[in-house]
PDB file of all heavy atoms in Angstrom:
ATOM      1  N   LEU A  16      10.354 -13.848  -5.193  1.00 90.00           N
ATOM      2  CA  LEU A  16      11.624 -13.035  -5.095  1.00 90.00           C
ATOM      3  C   LEU A  16      12.719 -13.541  -4.087  1.00 90.00           C
ATOM      4  O   LEU A  16      13.841 -13.095  -4.207  1.00 90.00           O
ATOM      5  CB  LEU A  16      11.210 -11.669  -4.801  1.00 90.00           C
ATOM      6  CG  LEU A  16      10.274 -10.908  -5.704  1.00 90.00           C
ATOM      7  CD1 LEU A  16       9.708  -9.599  -5.106  1.00 90.00           C
ATOM      8  CD2 LEU A  16      10.836 -10.730  -7.054  1.00 90.00           C
ATOM      9  N   GLY A  17      12.341 -14.231  -3.117  1.00 89.00           N
ATOM     10  CA  GLY A  17      13.128 -14.629  -2.084  1.00 89.00           C
ATOM     11  C   GLY A  17      13.269 -13.311  -1.033  1.00 89.00           C
ATOM     12  O   GLY A  17      12.487 -12.453  -1.229  1.00 89.00           O
ATOM     13  N   LEU A  18      14.062 -13.561   0.007  1.00 87.00           N
ATOM     14  CA  LEU A  18      14.122 -12.393   0.998  1.00 87.00           C
ATOM     15  C   LEU A  18      15.215 -11.491   0.475  1.00 87.00           C
ATOM     16  O   LEU A  18      16.383 -11.712   0.606  1.00 87.00           O
ATOM     17  CB  LEU A  18      14.483 -12.867   2.340  1.00 87.00           C
ATOM     18  CG  LEU A  18      13.400 -13.329   3.274  1.00 87.00           C
ATOM     19  CD1 LEU A  18      13.868 -14.020   4.576  1.00 87.00           C
ATOM     20  CD2 LEU A  18      12.305 -12.322   3.476  1.00 87.00           C
ATOM     21  N   ASN A  19      14.909 -10.419  -0.115  1.00 90.00           N
ATOM     22  CA  ASN A  19      15.826  -9.443  -0.748  1.00 90.00           C
ATOM     23  C   ASN A  19      15.185  -8.045  -0.776  1.00 90.00           C
ATOM     24  O   ASN A  19      14.200  -7.851  -0.222  1.00 90.00           O
ATOM     25  CB  ASN A  19      16.328  -9.931  -2.200  1.00 90.00           C
ATOM     26  CG  ASN A  19      15.076  -9.922  -3.137  1.00 90.00           C
ATOM     27  OD1 ASN A  19      13.982  -9.422  -2.979  1.00 90.00           O
ATOM     28  ND2 ASN A  19      15.366 -10.613  -4.320  1.00 90.00           N
ATOM     29  N   GLU A  20      15.858  -7.154  -1.250  1.00 89.00           N
ATOM     30  CA  GLU A  20      15.503  -5.697  -1.414  1.00 89.00           C
ATOM     31  C   GLU A  20      14.190  -5.481  -2.068  1.00 89.00           C
ATOM     32  O   GLU A  20      13.384  -4.720  -1.693  1.00 89.00           O
ATOM     33  CB  GLU A  20      16.575  -4.967  -2.152  1.00 89.00           C
ATOM     34  CG  GLU A  20      16.250  -3.482  -2.329  1.00 89.00           C
ATOM     35  CD  GLU A  20      15.957  -3.301  -3.843  1.00 89.00           C
ATOM     36  OE1 GLU A  20      16.348  -4.106  -4.639  1.00 89.00           O
ATOM     37  OE2 GLU A  20      15.253  -2.253  -4.126  1.00 89.00           O
ATOM     38  N   GLU A  21      13.971  -6.332  -3.137  1.00 91.00           N
ATOM     39  CA  GLU A  21      12.776  -6.105  -4.006  1.00 91.00           C
ATOM     40  C   GLU A  21      11.585  -6.587  -3.178  1.00 91.00           C
ATOM     41  O   GLU A  21      10.490  -5.998  -3.181  1.00 91.00           O
ATOM     42  CB  GLU A  21      12.795  -6.901  -5.360  1.00 91.00           C
ATOM     43  CG  GLU A  21      12.123  -6.311  -6.413  1.00 91.00           C
ATOM     44  CD  GLU A  21      12.407  -7.052  -7.733  1.00 91.00           C
ATOM     45  OE1 GLU A  21      13.043  -8.022  -7.770  1.00 91.00           O
ATOM     46  OE2 GLU A  21      12.061  -6.492  -8.780  1.00 91.00           O
ATOM     47  N   PHE A  22      11.770  -7.823  -2.362  1.00 92.00           N
ATOM     48  CA  PHE A  22      10.657  -8.282  -1.555  1.00 92.00           C
ATOM     49  C   PHE A  22      10.375  -7.223  -0.536  1.00 92.00           C
ATOM     50  O   PHE A  22       9.066  -6.928  -0.170  1.00 92.00           O
ATOM     51  CB  PHE A  22      11.224  -9.546  -0.898  1.00 92.00           C
ATOM     52  CG  PHE A  22      10.293 -10.031   0.216  1.00 92.00           C
ATOM     53  CD1 PHE A  22       9.269 -10.913  -0.123  1.00 92.00           C
ATOM     54  CD2 PHE A  22      10.589  -9.668   1.579  1.00 92.00           C
ATOM     55  CE1 PHE A  22       8.443 -11.311   0.959  1.00 92.00           C
ATOM     56  CE2 PHE A  22       9.586 -10.262   2.593  1.00 92.00           C
ATOM     57  CZ  PHE A  22       8.619 -11.055   2.302  1.00 92.00           C
ATOM     58  N   LEU A  23      11.325  -6.605   0.113  1.00 92.00           N
ATOM     59  CA  LEU A  23      10.959  -5.627   1.159  1.00 92.00           C
ATOM     60  C   LEU A  23      10.220  -4.450   0.459  1.00 92.00           C
ATOM     61  O   LEU A  23       9.282  -3.999   1.011  1.00 92.00           O
ATOM     62  CB  LEU A  23      12.379  -5.119   1.662  1.00 92.00           C
ATOM     63  CG  LEU A  23      12.293  -3.944   2.800  1.00 92.00           C
ATOM     64  CD1 LEU A  23      11.581  -4.599   4.007  1.00 92.00           C
ATOM     65  CD2 LEU A  23      13.609  -3.440   3.191  1.00 92.00           C
ATOM     66  N   ARG A  24      10.764  -3.895  -0.656  1.00 93.00           N
ATOM     67  CA  ARG A  24      10.009  -2.764  -1.294  1.00 93.00           C
ATOM     68  C   ARG A  24       8.641  -2.996  -1.648  1.00 93.00           C
ATOM     69  O   ARG A  24       7.568  -2.288  -1.374  1.00 93.00           O
ATOM     70  CB  ARG A  24      10.727  -2.251  -2.634  1.00 93.00           C
ATOM     71  CG  ARG A  24      11.859  -1.351  -2.273  1.00 93.00           C
ATOM     72  CD  ARG A  24      12.439  -0.712  -3.625  1.00 93.00           C
ATOM     73  NE  ARG A  24      12.991  -1.596  -4.551  1.00 93.00           N
ATOM     74  CZ  ARG A  24      12.502  -2.039  -5.576  1.00 93.00           C
ATOM     75  NH1 ARG A  24      11.404  -1.452  -6.072  1.00 93.00           N
ATOM     76  NH2 ARG A  24      13.098  -2.911  -6.518  1.00 93.00           N
ATOM     77  N   TYR A  25       8.374  -4.226  -2.417  1.00 95.00           N
ATOM     78  CA  TYR A  25       7.072  -4.642  -2.784  1.00 95.00           C
ATOM     79  C   TYR A  25       6.207  -4.873  -1.533  1.00 95.00           C
ATOM     80  O   TYR A  25       5.066  -4.623  -1.597  1.00 95.00           O
ATOM     81  CB  TYR A  25       7.111  -5.751  -3.588  1.00 95.00           C
ATOM     82  CG  TYR A  25       7.739  -5.605  -5.083  1.00 95.00           C
ATOM     83  CD1 TYR A  25       8.068  -6.603  -5.819  1.00 95.00           C
ATOM     84  CD2 TYR A  25       7.777  -4.200  -5.579  1.00 95.00           C
ATOM     85  CE1 TYR A  25       8.604  -6.447  -7.140  1.00 95.00           C
ATOM     86  CE2 TYR A  25       8.338  -4.023  -6.706  1.00 95.00           C
ATOM     87  CZ  TYR A  25       8.746  -5.041  -7.560  1.00 95.00           C
ATOM     88  OH  TYR A  25       9.280  -4.678  -8.752  1.00 95.00           O
ATOM     89  N   SER A  26       6.680  -5.430  -0.541  1.00 94.00           N
ATOM     90  CA  SER A  26       5.800  -5.809   0.544  1.00 94.00           C
ATOM     91  C   SER A  26       5.329  -4.390   1.312  1.00 94.00           C
ATOM     92  O   SER A  26       4.196  -4.379   1.698  1.00 94.00           O
ATOM     93  CB  SER A  26       6.721  -6.513   1.727  1.00 94.00           C
ATOM     94  OG  SER A  26       6.999  -7.830   1.301  1.00 94.00           O
ATOM     95  N   ILE A  27       6.315  -3.510   1.396  1.00 94.00           N
ATOM     96  CA  ILE A  27       5.838  -2.235   2.009  1.00 94.00           C
ATOM     97  C   ILE A  27       4.890  -1.475   1.116  1.00 94.00           C
ATOM     98  O   ILE A  27       3.942  -0.849   1.574  1.00 94.00           O
ATOM     99  CB  ILE A  27       7.157  -1.471   2.307  1.00 94.00           C
ATOM    100  CG1 ILE A  27       7.917  -2.139   3.542  1.00 94.00           C
ATOM    101  CG2 ILE A  27       6.809   0.058   2.840  1.00 94.00           C
ATOM    102  CD1 ILE A  27       9.286  -1.493   3.923  1.00 94.00           C
ATOM    103  N   LEU A  28       5.233  -1.577  -0.172  1.00 95.00           N
ATOM    104  CA  LEU A  28       4.217  -0.796  -1.165  1.00 95.00           C
ATOM    105  C   LEU A  28       2.843  -1.433  -0.988  1.00 95.00           C
ATOM    106  O   LEU A  28       1.942  -0.766  -1.024  1.00 95.00           O
ATOM    107  CB  LEU A  28       4.770  -1.099  -2.622  1.00 95.00           C
ATOM    108  CG  LEU A  28       3.824  -0.624  -3.618  1.00 95.00           C
ATOM    109  CD1 LEU A  28       3.618   0.890  -3.571  1.00 95.00           C
ATOM    110  CD2 LEU A  28       4.345  -1.090  -4.964  1.00 95.00           C
ATOM    111  N   ILE A  29       2.721  -2.712  -0.959  1.00 95.00           N
ATOM    112  CA  ILE A  29       1.447  -3.451  -0.825  1.00 95.00           C
ATOM    113  C   ILE A  29       0.824  -3.050   0.538  1.00 95.00           C
ATOM    114  O   ILE A  29      -0.440  -2.840   0.500  1.00 95.00           O
ATOM    115  CB  ILE A  29       1.593  -4.973  -0.901  1.00 95.00           C
ATOM    116  CG1 ILE A  29       1.918  -5.385  -2.428  1.00 95.00           C
ATOM    117  CG2 ILE A  29       0.379  -5.685  -0.474  1.00 95.00           C
ATOM    118  CD1 ILE A  29       2.437  -6.706  -2.531  1.00 95.00           C
ATOM    119  N   CYS A  30       1.480  -3.013   1.615  1.00 94.00           N
ATOM    120  CA  CYS A  30       0.932  -2.358   2.780  1.00 94.00           C
ATOM    121  C   CYS A  30       0.341  -1.126   2.606  1.00 94.00           C
ATOM    122  O   CYS A  30      -0.708  -0.841   3.116  1.00 94.00           O
ATOM    123  CB  CYS A  30       2.046  -2.570   3.827  1.00 94.00           C
ATOM    124  SG  CYS A  30       1.542  -2.284   5.577  1.00 94.00           S
ATOM    125  N   PHE A  31       1.030  -0.144   2.100  1.00 95.00           N
ATOM    126  CA  PHE A  31       0.663   1.142   1.894  1.00 95.00           C
ATOM    127  C   PHE A  31      -0.671   1.246   0.958  1.00 95.00           C
ATOM    128  O   PHE A  31      -1.619   1.937   1.259  1.00 95.00           O
ATOM    129  CB  PHE A  31       1.662   2.107   1.243  1.00 95.00           C
ATOM    130  CG  PHE A  31       2.579   2.788   2.224  1.00 95.00           C
ATOM    131  CD1 PHE A  31       3.843   2.240   2.597  1.00 95.00           C
ATOM    132  CD2 PHE A  31       2.161   3.989   2.748  1.00 95.00           C
ATOM    133  CE1 PHE A  31       4.633   2.861   3.426  1.00 95.00           C
ATOM    134  CE2 PHE A  31       3.006   4.644   3.762  1.00 95.00           C
ATOM    135  CZ  PHE A  31       4.216   4.024   4.136  1.00 95.00           C
ATOM    136  N   LEU A  32      -0.530   0.451  -0.074  1.00 95.00           N
ATOM    137  CA  LEU A  32      -1.689   0.413  -1.019  1.00 95.00           C
ATOM    138  C   LEU A  32      -2.959  -0.225  -0.445  1.00 95.00           C
ATOM    139  O   LEU A  32      -4.073   0.231  -0.727  1.00 95.00           O
ATOM    140  CB  LEU A  32      -1.242  -0.341  -2.315  1.00 95.00           C
ATOM    141  CG  LEU A  32      -0.335   0.204  -3.220  1.00 95.00           C
ATOM    142  CD1 LEU A  32      -0.025  -0.689  -4.443  1.00 95.00           C
ATOM    143  CD2 LEU A  32      -0.777   1.569  -3.771  1.00 95.00           C
ATOM    144  N   ILE A  33      -2.816  -1.164   0.454  1.00 93.00           N
ATOM    145  CA  ILE A  33      -4.041  -1.683   1.151  1.00 93.00           C
ATOM    146  C   ILE A  33      -4.682  -0.639   2.056  1.00 93.00           C
ATOM    147  O   ILE A  33      -5.854  -0.528   2.005  1.00 93.00           O
ATOM    148  CB  ILE A  33      -3.632  -3.014   1.785  1.00 93.00           C
ATOM    149  CG1 ILE A  33      -3.286  -4.012   0.838  1.00 93.00           C
ATOM    150  CG2 ILE A  33      -4.815  -3.402   2.692  1.00 93.00           C
ATOM    151  CD1 ILE A  33      -2.934  -5.425   1.391  1.00 93.00           C
ATOM    152  N   VAL A  34      -3.767   0.086   2.678  1.00 92.00           N
ATOM    153  CA  VAL A  34      -4.279   1.126   3.647  1.00 92.00           C
ATOM    154  C   VAL A  34      -5.003   2.229   2.841  1.00 92.00           C
ATOM    155  O   VAL A  34      -6.124   2.618   3.059  1.00 92.00           O
ATOM    156  CB  VAL A  34      -3.220   1.800   4.427  1.00 92.00           C
ATOM    157  CG1 VAL A  34      -3.693   3.027   5.148  1.00 92.00           C
ATOM    158  CG2 VAL A  34      -2.623   0.888   5.496  1.00 92.00           C
ATOM    159  N   ILE A  35      -4.368   2.659   1.727  1.00 94.00           N
ATOM    160  CA  ILE A  35      -5.002   3.620   0.854  1.00 94.00           C
ATOM    161  C   ILE A  35      -6.236   3.212   0.183  1.00 94.00           C
ATOM    162  O   ILE A  35      -7.282   4.032   0.205  1.00 94.00           O
ATOM    163  CB  ILE A  35      -3.885   4.064  -0.293  1.00 94.00           C
ATOM    164  CG1 ILE A  35      -2.817   4.842   0.324  1.00 94.00           C
ATOM    165  CG2 ILE A  35      -4.583   4.952  -1.287  1.00 94.00           C
ATOM    166  CD1 ILE A  35      -1.566   5.045  -0.569  1.00 94.00           C
ATOM    167  N   SER A  36      -6.275   1.896  -0.231  1.00 93.00           N
ATOM    168  CA  SER A  36      -7.506   1.343  -0.821  1.00 93.00           C
ATOM    169  C   SER A  36      -8.674   1.200   0.078  1.00 93.00           C
ATOM    170  O   SER A  36      -9.813   1.622  -0.230  1.00 93.00           O
ATOM    171  CB  SER A  36      -7.268  -0.010  -1.382  1.00 93.00           C
ATOM    172  OG  SER A  36      -6.265   0.140  -2.425  1.00 93.00           O
ATOM    173  N   ILE A  37      -8.348   0.817   1.243  1.00 90.00           N
ATOM    174  CA  ILE A  37      -9.444   0.787   2.388  1.00 90.00           C
ATOM    175  C   ILE A  37     -10.022   2.106   2.651  1.00 90.00           C
ATOM    176  O   ILE A  37     -11.212   2.359   2.668  1.00 90.00           O
ATOM    177  CB  ILE A  37      -8.915  -0.022   3.695  1.00 90.00           C
ATOM    178  CG1 ILE A  37      -8.649  -1.459   3.334  1.00 90.00           C
ATOM    179  CG2 ILE A  37      -9.850   0.203   4.731  1.00 90.00           C
ATOM    180  CD1 ILE A  37      -8.009  -2.153   4.414  1.00 90.00           C
ATOM    181  N   VAL A  38      -9.056   2.964   2.874  1.00 90.00           N
ATOM    182  CA  VAL A  38      -9.546   4.472   3.218  1.00 90.00           C
ATOM    183  C   VAL A  38     -10.436   4.953   1.898  1.00 90.00           C
ATOM    184  O   VAL A  38     -11.442   5.557   2.162  1.00 90.00           O
ATOM    185  CB  VAL A  38      -8.386   5.382   3.587  1.00 90.00           C
ATOM    186  CG1 VAL A  38      -8.916   6.745   3.612  1.00 90.00           C
ATOM    187  CG2 VAL A  38      -7.806   4.835   4.859  1.00 90.00           C
ATOM    188  N   ASP A  39      -9.837   4.750   0.720  1.00 91.00           N
ATOM    189  CA  ASP A  39     -10.525   5.262  -0.395  1.00 91.00           C
ATOM    190  C   ASP A  39     -11.937   4.554  -0.496  1.00 91.00           C
ATOM    191  O   ASP A  39     -12.923   5.205  -0.906  1.00 91.00           O
ATOM    192  CB  ASP A  39      -9.722   5.011  -1.699  1.00 91.00           C
ATOM    193  CG  ASP A  39     -10.157   5.716  -2.904  1.00 91.00           C
ATOM    194  OD1 ASP A  39     -10.812   6.740  -2.874  1.00 91.00           O
ATOM    195  OD2 ASP A  39      -9.967   5.186  -4.020  1.00 91.00           O
ATOM    196  N   TYR A  40     -12.029   3.236  -0.215  1.00 88.00           N
ATOM    197  CA  TYR A  40     -13.162   2.572  -0.430  1.00 88.00           C
ATOM    198  C   TYR A  40     -14.353   3.046   0.532  1.00 88.00           C
ATOM    199  O   TYR A  40     -15.463   3.311   0.183  1.00 88.00           O
ATOM    200  CB  TYR A  40     -13.027   1.123  -0.100  1.00 88.00           C
ATOM    201  CG  TYR A  40     -14.319   0.214  -0.374  1.00 88.00           C
ATOM    202  CD1 TYR A  40     -14.776  -0.054  -1.485  1.00 88.00           C
ATOM    203  CD2 TYR A  40     -15.015  -0.146   0.848  1.00 88.00           C
ATOM    204  CE1 TYR A  40     -15.921  -0.949  -1.718  1.00 88.00           C
ATOM    205  CE2 TYR A  40     -16.084  -0.899   0.703  1.00 88.00           C
ATOM    206  CZ  TYR A  40     -16.511  -1.277  -0.477  1.00 88.00           C
ATOM    207  OH  TYR A  40     -17.702  -2.015  -0.632  1.00 88.00           O
ATOM    208  N   TYR A  41     -13.819   3.455   1.756  1.00 86.00           N
ATOM    209  CA  TYR A  41     -14.871   3.852   2.740  1.00 86.00           C
ATOM    210  C   TYR A  41     -15.154   5.263   2.648  1.00 86.00           C
ATOM    211  O   TYR A  41     -16.239   5.732   3.126  1.00 86.00           O
ATOM    212  CB  TYR A  41     -14.405   3.416   4.090  1.00 86.00           C
ATOM    213  CG  TYR A  41     -14.692   2.095   4.612  1.00 86.00           C
ATOM    214  CD1 TYR A  41     -13.685   0.932   4.419  1.00 86.00           C
ATOM    215  CD2 TYR A  41     -15.930   1.582   4.946  1.00 86.00           C
ATOM    216  CE1 TYR A  41     -14.017  -0.293   4.684  1.00 86.00           C
ATOM    217  CE2 TYR A  41     -16.238   0.298   5.284  1.00 86.00           C
ATOM    218  CZ  TYR A  41     -15.284  -0.664   5.130  1.00 86.00           C
ATOM    219  OH  TYR A  41     -15.461  -2.004   5.329  1.00 86.00           O
ATOM    220  N   THR A  42     -14.202   6.226   2.310  1.00 87.00           N
ATOM    221  CA  THR A  42     -14.346   7.609   2.539  1.00 87.00           C
ATOM    222  C   THR A  42     -14.253   8.300   1.051  1.00 87.00           C
ATOM    223  O   THR A  42     -14.619   9.506   1.038  1.00 87.00           O
ATOM    224  CB  THR A  42     -13.281   8.244   3.335  1.00 87.00           C
ATOM    225  OG1 THR A  42     -11.955   8.069   2.646  1.00 87.00           O
ATOM    226  CG2 THR A  42     -13.127   7.604   4.710  1.00 87.00           C
ATOM    227  N   MET A  43     -13.901   7.622   0.033  1.00 87.00           N
ATOM    228  CA  MET A  43     -13.687   8.306  -1.305  1.00 87.00           C
ATOM    229  C   MET A  43     -12.684   9.338  -1.345  1.00 87.00           C
ATOM    230  O   MET A  43     -12.820  10.461  -1.897  1.00 87.00           O
ATOM    231  CB  MET A  43     -15.064   8.828  -1.863  1.00 87.00           C
ATOM    232  CG  MET A  43     -15.971   7.707  -2.203  1.00 87.00           C
ATOM    233  SD  MET A  43     -15.642   6.674  -3.504  1.00 87.00           S
ATOM    234  CE  MET A  43     -15.746   7.792  -4.894  1.00 87.00           C
ATOM    235  N   TYR A  44     -11.553   9.206  -0.297  1.00 89.00           N
ATOM    236  CA  TYR A  44     -10.573  10.212  -0.128  1.00 89.00           C
ATOM    237  C   TYR A  44      -9.235   9.534   0.078  1.00 89.00           C
ATOM    238  O   TYR A  44      -9.073   8.444   0.656  1.00 89.00           O
ATOM    239  CB  TYR A  44     -10.968  11.108   1.113  1.00 89.00           C
ATOM    240  CG  TYR A  44      -9.948  12.346   1.227  1.00 89.00           C
ATOM    241  CD1 TYR A  44     -10.246  13.425   0.491  1.00 89.00           C
ATOM    242  CD2 TYR A  44      -8.992  12.310   2.168  1.00 89.00           C
ATOM    243  CE1 TYR A  44      -9.298  14.553   0.579  1.00 89.00           C
ATOM    244  CE2 TYR A  44      -8.112  13.365   2.188  1.00 89.00           C
ATOM    245  CZ  TYR A  44      -8.347  14.476   1.473  1.00 89.00           C
ATOM    246  OH  TYR A  44      -7.571  15.591   1.578  1.00 89.00           O
ATOM    247  N   ILE A  45      -8.189  10.193  -0.584  1.00 91.00           N
ATOM    248  CA  ILE A  45      -6.877   9.631  -0.350  1.00 91.00           C
ATOM    249  C   ILE A  45      -6.046  10.763   0.261  1.00 91.00           C
ATOM    250  O   ILE A  45      -6.052  11.854  -0.098  1.00 91.00           O
ATOM    251  CB  ILE A  45      -6.242   9.340  -1.786  1.00 91.00           C
ATOM    252  CG1 ILE A  45      -6.996   8.134  -2.511  1.00 91.00           C
ATOM    253  CG2 ILE A  45      -4.780   9.001  -1.669  1.00 91.00           C
ATOM    254  CD1 ILE A  45      -6.611   7.878  -3.795  1.00 91.00           C
ATOM    255  N   TYR A  46      -5.373  10.354   1.417  1.00 90.00           N
ATOM    256  CA  TYR A  46      -4.674  11.243   2.280  1.00 90.00           C
ATOM    257  C   TYR A  46      -3.308  11.421   1.642  1.00 90.00           C
ATOM    258  O   TYR A  46      -2.570  10.412   1.373  1.00 90.00           O
ATOM    259  CB  TYR A  46      -4.548  10.855   3.758  1.00 90.00           C
ATOM    260  CG  TYR A  46      -5.859  10.922   4.415  1.00 90.00           C
ATOM    261  CD1 TYR A  46      -6.683   9.753   4.538  1.00 90.00           C
ATOM    262  CD2 TYR A  46      -6.235  12.096   4.946  1.00 90.00           C
ATOM    263  CE1 TYR A  46      -7.836   9.875   5.191  1.00 90.00           C
ATOM    264  CE2 TYR A  46      -7.537  12.124   5.754  1.00 90.00           C
ATOM    265  CZ  TYR A  46      -8.258  11.015   5.709  1.00 90.00           C
ATOM    266  OH  TYR A  46      -9.519  11.060   6.430  1.00 90.00           O
ATOM    267  N   ASP A  47      -2.889  12.667   1.490  1.00 90.00           N
ATOM    268  CA  ASP A  47      -1.497  13.006   0.977  1.00 90.00           C
ATOM    269  C   ASP A  47      -0.371  12.354   1.834  1.00 90.00           C
ATOM    270  O   ASP A  47       0.632  12.015   1.306  1.00 90.00           O
ATOM    271  CB  ASP A  47      -1.354  14.484   0.775  1.00 90.00           C
ATOM    272  CG  ASP A  47      -2.250  15.042  -0.337  1.00 90.00           C
ATOM    273  OD1 ASP A  47      -2.626  14.379  -1.244  1.00 90.00           O
ATOM    274  OD2 ASP A  47      -2.426  16.279  -0.232  1.00 90.00           O
TER     275      ASP A  47
END
């Protein structure tokens, strides 16, 4: 993508998804 708005959105999305996935893996719970 290069350094643009889409890169920023997807990078932050991946960051959130990794946090959610790790928490879900260890606790079987997703925080609202």
Side-chain angles (χ1 to χ4, degrees):
L16 304 170
L18 278 174
N19 59 18
E20 169 261 338
E21 213 173 12
F22 171 83
L23 178 64
R24 275 192 298 110
Y25 290 163
S26 298
I27 291 172
L28 174 66
I29 290 166
C30 197
F31 272 97
L32 288 178
I33 290 174
V34 170
I35 291 166
S36 296
I37 291 170
V38 172
D39 189 30
Y40 180 80
Y41 279 99
T42 66
M43 295 291 289
Y44 189 78
I45 295 171
Y46 291 95
D47 292 337

